[in-house]
Amino acid sequence: MLDVAVIEEPAAAEASLDPIRARILAALAEPGSAAMLASRLGLPRQKVNYHLKELERHKLVELAEERRKGNVTERVYRATAASYVISPSVLAAVSPDPSRSPDQLSARWLLALGSRLVQEVGALLTGASRARKRVATFGIDAQVRFASAADRAAFAEELSQAVATLVSRYHDESAPGGRSHRVVVGLHQIPAAPPAAPDAASPDAASPDAVSADPAEDAGTEPEQEYPR
């Protein structure tokens, strides 16, 4: 079983998004037959069988083994991966394109960069899986808490200069046999956790004062503002 599988076919994406099939995929983290899945999920066996065949047709599940029980052969399935990612290539005609409006301060541009990252790395993973090879990648994930918007802007400026210096030092356009790599660095606010449901018995539950006067604060984001470029 793969850790992550990339779904690049529209029909496979559609199959994975069906609520029942998504539940079956999650349940097949441990191999199981249609009868076992029906018991686990509280669904009719015939319905589970139908969805299993569709998932198998799109290579989202695979046959793990066959067990002989008297005159009946029980087919045991497993998911082909522990988790799945749908590539933006599924919606190729309308997938985000970073080249349309490159703006370092645009959240939509950052999202387009992320979309391209998923699409390109997904294609690499798919090809490497078929060739039974590994993909050479590198990633950094960190959190930083800024005291002010000015500090954040200064951080972004220093980070941009550091990346530009490294790229200019190592980039060799004429290197024979060289391979082009993409470097993506992003900075975004971490979305706030959704608020807990208010207790109906609490006197604050129906009070207007319980809601922030700032819509941006309720959404876990900051109001729109300009930062130094």
Side-chain angles (χ1 to χ4, degrees):
M1 180 187 290
L2 300 173
D3 288 335
V4 180
V6 183
I7 299 175
E8 297 178 305
E9 296 294 329
E14 183 180 0
S16 70
L17 291 173
D18 179 273
I20 293 178
R21 293 172 193 172
R23 291 176 62 197
I24 290 174
L25 280 176
L28 284 178
E30 296 181 9
S33 64
M36 295 166 65
L37 288 168
S39 177
R40 288 180 200 170
L41 302 175
L43 295 170
R45 178 176 175 175
Q46 186 176 6
K47 177 176 284 190
V48 170
N49 231 341
Y50 166 76
H51 288 298
L52 273 174
K53 289 178 181 178
E54 287 299 301
L55 290 170
E56 185 181 24
R57 185 162 68 91
H58 295 295
K59 299 180 180 178
L60 298 174
V61 305
E62 61 188 5
L63 184 65
E65 62 174 310
E66 291 184 331
R67 300 170 181 168
R68 191 73 179 175
K69 291 187 174 181
N71 295 327
V72 178
T73 300
E74 184 180 53
R75 295 167 62 86
V76 178
Y77 293 90
R78 66 185 170 203
T80 53
S83 57
Y84 298 85
V85 173
I86 297 177
S87 171
S89 62
V90 169
L91 297 172
V94 292
S95 62
D97 183 357
S99 66
R100 287 178 189 153
S101 53
D103 180 357
Q104 287 181 306
L105 302 183
S106 167
R108 290 176 177 80
W109 189 62
L110 180 59
L111 192 63
L113 289 178
S115 174
R116 185 180 63 187
L117 177 69
V118 172
Q119 184 170 341
E120 291 184 345
V121 176
L124 287 173
L125 275 175
T126 300
S129 177
R130 290 170 182 163
R132 297 185 178 277
K133 293 183 179 180
R134 299 186 65 181
V135 180
T137 59
F138 173 72
I140 294 177
D141 179 28
Q143 292 185 24
V144 55
R145 184 178 178 87
F146 297 110
S148 65
D151 283 354
R152 181 175 55 202
F155 177 90
E157 179 63 26
E158 289 187 43
L159 183 61
S160 298
Q161 293 176 2
V163 172
T165 299
L166 281 172
V167 169
S168 62
R169 181 186 306 166
Y170 289 98
H171 179 67
D172 189 342
E173 189 68 38
S174 60
R179 293 186 176 183
S180 295
H181 289 66
R182 194 182 302 284
V183 179
V184 178
V185 180
L187 177 67
H188 65 84
Q189 184 178 346
I190 301 173
D199 185 351
S202 170
D204 294 333
S207 170
D209 296 334
V211 180
S212 168
D214 185 352
E217 184 179 338
D218 287 335
T221 61
E222 296 180 353
E224 288 292 330
Q225 53 185 305
E226 292 293 331
Y227 302 117
R229 292 181 181 271

